[in-house]
Amino acid sequence: MVMGEGVEWGLHCCLVLAWMGDQGPVATGRLAEVFELPPEYLKKRLQPLVRAGILSSSPGPRGGYALARVPEEISLMDVVAAIEGRQDAFRCTEIRQRGAGAGAPESEFARPCGVAQAMRRAELAWRRELAAQTLADLIAVSPATAPARVRRFCGSPSH
């Protein structure tokens, strides 16, 4: 499974916004500068997070992005699903019913095949793991100096 870079960007931006706390929204350009990302492309990657209720966005010269929920209420799966979508990574097309299987009795295909079952179990495990971890968990394993460094970089005083 390959996830787009938007997932990495979204998660790191959520961390920055969590570290900024109640110091107001962070402008798209400034948020992009934190990681040297292209601002317009970053803005497109963050819009699904706003639609999903993970981030809030406010327009204007003092506008920008902020977390819409506390870090404990934002799972990694929330971010992945907002950016990548909720569709299954594996889609069974029932190729076992083609070629040599085309003449097999229909009863042979009444249940999903072992491949489909194994892939579904793996995907559910992956989704459960991401759903069990929150932004707060990422904050807990971040370097202790990161929040103050980000606040200084964004022009806000350290706590």
Side-chain angles (χ1 to χ4, degrees):
M1 173 185 312
V2 176
M3 284 187 268
E5 62 190 0
V7 171
E8 178 185 10
W9 294 11
L11 286 167
H12 279 288
C13 287
C14 284
L15 276 173
V16 166
L17 296 172
W19 292 331
M20 293 303 292
D22 60 358
Q23 296 186 15
V26 178
T28 306
R30 196 63 175 151
L31 195 53
E33 287 175 355
V34 172
F35 301 109
E36 296 181 351
L37 300 172
E40 283 307 307
Y41 190 70
L42 178 63
K43 185 177 179 179
K44 289 178 185 173
R45 300 285 75 50
L46 297 181
Q47 287 170 350
L49 296 175
V50 173
R51 286 191 295 274
I54 295 167
L55 300 182
S56 63
S57 174
S58 50
R62 293 190 149 325
Y65 293 96
L67 287 182
R69 304 189 312 241
V70 295
E72 293 79 8
E73 294 177 1
I74 301 171
S75 76
L76 303 189
M77 191 67 230
D78 292 337
V79 175
V80 170
I83 293 172
E84 293 288 320
R86 295 193 176 275
Q87 66 274 11
D88 291 342
F90 177 80
R91 290 170 204 71
C92 179
T93 60
E94 280 294 342
I95 66 167
R96 66 187 176 149
Q97 294 183 35
R98 300 183 203 156
E106 217 164 292
S107 61
E108 196 173 306
F109 309 113
R111 294 175 18 125
C113 71
V115 171
Q117 290 176 30
M119 298 303 276
R120 184 67 183 153
R121 281 192 309 272
E123 182 157 347
L124 289 174
W126 173 79
R127 288 178 182 272
R128 273 193 301 272
E129 184 65 24
L130 290 175
Q133 295 182 62
T134 66
L135 193 55
D137 296 325
L138 294 182
I139 291 167
V141 298
S142 296
T145 56
R149 182 177 60 249
V150 165
R151 285 191 294 269
R152 275 192 310 276
F153 187 88
C154 288
S156 299
S158 297
H159 282 255

